Amino acid sequence: ERLPALLRLMPKAELHIHIEGSLEPELMFKLAERNGVQLGYPSVAALRAAYAFTDLQSFLDIYYAGASVLLTEADFSEMAWAYFERAAADKVVHAEIFFDPQTHIERGVPIETVIKGLGQAARRAQAELGLSAKLILCFLRHLSEADALRTLEAALPWRHHFIGVGLDSSECGHPPEKFARVFARSREAGLHLVAHAGEEGPPAYIEAALDVLQVERIDHGVRCTESPALLLRLAASRTPLTVCPLSNVKLRVFDTLARHNLPALLAAGLCVTVNSDDPAYFGGYLNQNLVETFAALPQLGAAEAYALARNSFEASFVPAAQKAAWV
Ligand code: ADE
Ligand code: ZN
């Protein structure tokens, strides 16, 4: 088959991957043992059997529990390195990875342990895999804006280790407006801005992320098709959407891949990209997302494959000169 080969072999960027969501059960058990952390599941198989999600929150509960095994710089580095090796095998040449420092600070893990461990793996990815890797610090939207502001202040001494900030966790009931000041402060610090919006939340959350937070990209954003005016705006501005098809099906945003609106988003002229979100939990890394999505949607062919790869570089935060070499 030529299309799956094209999808697998084309160079691409990944822009929506939560590094804690790349923690495979096998490594989770290994770190649990090493750190003396009790996981609450007797085996890898029992843990995997619990990965039957009904919505975003049912996933997040298990995802935060899984992150409890991460304690040392080496733990963060080992987790990220495992992702970079898999990403390089998928022909990912540039990755912008999300991390959730509040999940770790809450457990007494210093923010510098998280940032140093991830940063070390990112430098090794560049040196040994030729994969450029950047970090984006995400604020947890179920926590307060004051907590997010404290986290930003704690991270700013490490400002040169990350390129931007994002907003993730439970979307409904936590609109972007709640984080207006922390995003304004991040913008003053010269950081890039992104936010999850329109995954489970309404189109109004996407508009607020753009107008109030002034984000440069929307993570997910798939519910934008419910607002024709918003769809036109996103197409005209080429505001990127980092779409995650396998995640959307596992969290029941769409019933099946065949019902995903990726073809409609591409046809409307949006700068859409495909990404893996939390690959250890949702059944596949980037190439698996691409191959399964294209298999389920016969409207998608070589032209769309090329457009997605091109969009992934256009949407990235790499300097213009580096971008020109890719697109
Ligand atoms: N954290 C990790 N994955 C997420 C997702 N898909 N949506 C919101 N928060 C997340
Ligand atoms: Zn996400």
Side-chain angles (χ1 to χ4, degrees):
E1 285 265 10
R2 293 171 64 186
L3 190 52
L6 172 65
L7 292 165
R8 290 184 195 283
L9 293 173
M10 64 186 189
K12 51 187 77 78
E14 178 149 56
L15 307 176
H16 185 162
I17 155 85
H18 302 264
I19 202 63
E20 294 90 346
S22 76
L23 183 57
E24 293 286 345
E26 290 78 10
L27 182 55
M28 198 186 290
F29 271 84
K30 178 182 156 185
L31 298 182
E33 176 121 320
R34 186 157 95 192
N35 292 329
V37 175
Q38 205 61 40
L39 261 180
Y41 296 90
S43 64
V44 166
L47 177 59
R48 275 195 203 279
Y51 292 0
F53 313 119
T54 52
D55 58 11
L56 175 58
Q57 194 59 49
S58 67
F59 156 70
L60 290 170
D61 294 341
I62 287 190
Y63 162 83
Y64 294 130
S68 69
V69 303
L70 297 159
L71 291 185
T72 69
E73 217 174 291
D75 299 341
F76 287 94
S77 177
E78 198 170 335
M79 170 177 68
W81 177 250
Y83 164 71
F84 291 134
E85 282 194 306
R86 287 172 180 265
D90 279 2
K91 292 285 186 289
V92 172
V93 298
H94 175 74
E96 296 176 8
I97 67 173
F98 294 141
F99 67 108
D100 287 339
Q102 287 158 297
T103 304
H104 313 301
I105 294 170
E106 243 175 14
R107 300 180 292 111
V109 177
I111 196 163
E112 62 260 37
T113 299
V114 182
I115 294 179
K116 280 186 184 168
L118 298 177
Q120 199 241 330
R123 282 191 304 278
R124 189 175 167 203
Q126 178 70 68
E128 294 183 27
L129 303 169
L131 191 164
S132 65
K134 303 290 174 196
L135 304 180
I136 296 178
L137 183 161
C138 281
F139 302 113
L140 299 180
R141 66 203 305 156
H142 68 273
L143 301 178
S144 69
E145 188 184 43
D147 202 293
L149 278 165
R150 276 195 296 276
T151 303
L152 177 64
E153 294 308 327
L156 281 179
W158 309 93
R159 163 72 186 82
H160 50 293
H161 288 280
F162 57 101
I163 60 165
V165 300
L167 187 62
D168 64 2
S169 193
S170 324
E171 185 181 7
C172 292
H174 302 284
E177 290 90 333
K178 182 176 162 186
F179 297 93
R181 281 165 299 185
V182 73
F183 270 67
R185 178 84 185 84
S186 300
R187 183 160 11 98
E188 286 165 11
L191 289 157
H192 286 293
L193 309 178
V194 301
H196 283 52
E199 178 186 19
E200 285 190 342
Y205 281 24
I206 300 174
E207 284 165 348
L210 295 170
D211 295 331
V212 180
L213 304 186
Q214 297 186 235
V215 300
E216 299 159 81
R217 290 198 301 247
I218 297 287
D219 297 311
H220 295 294
V222 290
R223 286 193 60 191
C224 70
T225 49
E226 292 170 29
S227 164
L230 176 58
L231 197 63
L232 285 174
R233 174 184 179 179
L234 292 169
S237 60
R238 292 285 292 168
T239 304
L241 256 49
T242 61
V243 171
C244 308
L246 287 176
S247 164
N248 290 158
V249 172
K250 284 291 195 291
L251 302 187
R252 311 263 185 99
V253 175
F254 295 96
D255 290 337
T256 62
L257 281 177
R259 288 179 181 267
H260 200 283
N261 66 2
L262 179 70
L265 296 169
L266 281 166
L270 272 69
C271 183
V272 197
T273 68
V274 166
N275 307 269
S276 67
D277 206 9
D278 300 283
Y281 292 90
F282 298 148
Y285 288 76
L286 184 43
N287 282 355
Q288 191 79 19
N289 271 270
L290 287 165
V291 169
E292 285 194 34
T293 302
F294 275 62
L297 292 159
Q299 313 92 301
L300 301 177
E304 287 74 22
Y306 177 78
L308 288 170
R310 199 196 162 284
N311 288 349
S312 74
F313 295 116
E314 177 185 335
S316 73
F317 292 137
V318 302
Q322 194 180 338
K323 245 185 229 194
W326 279 328
V327 296

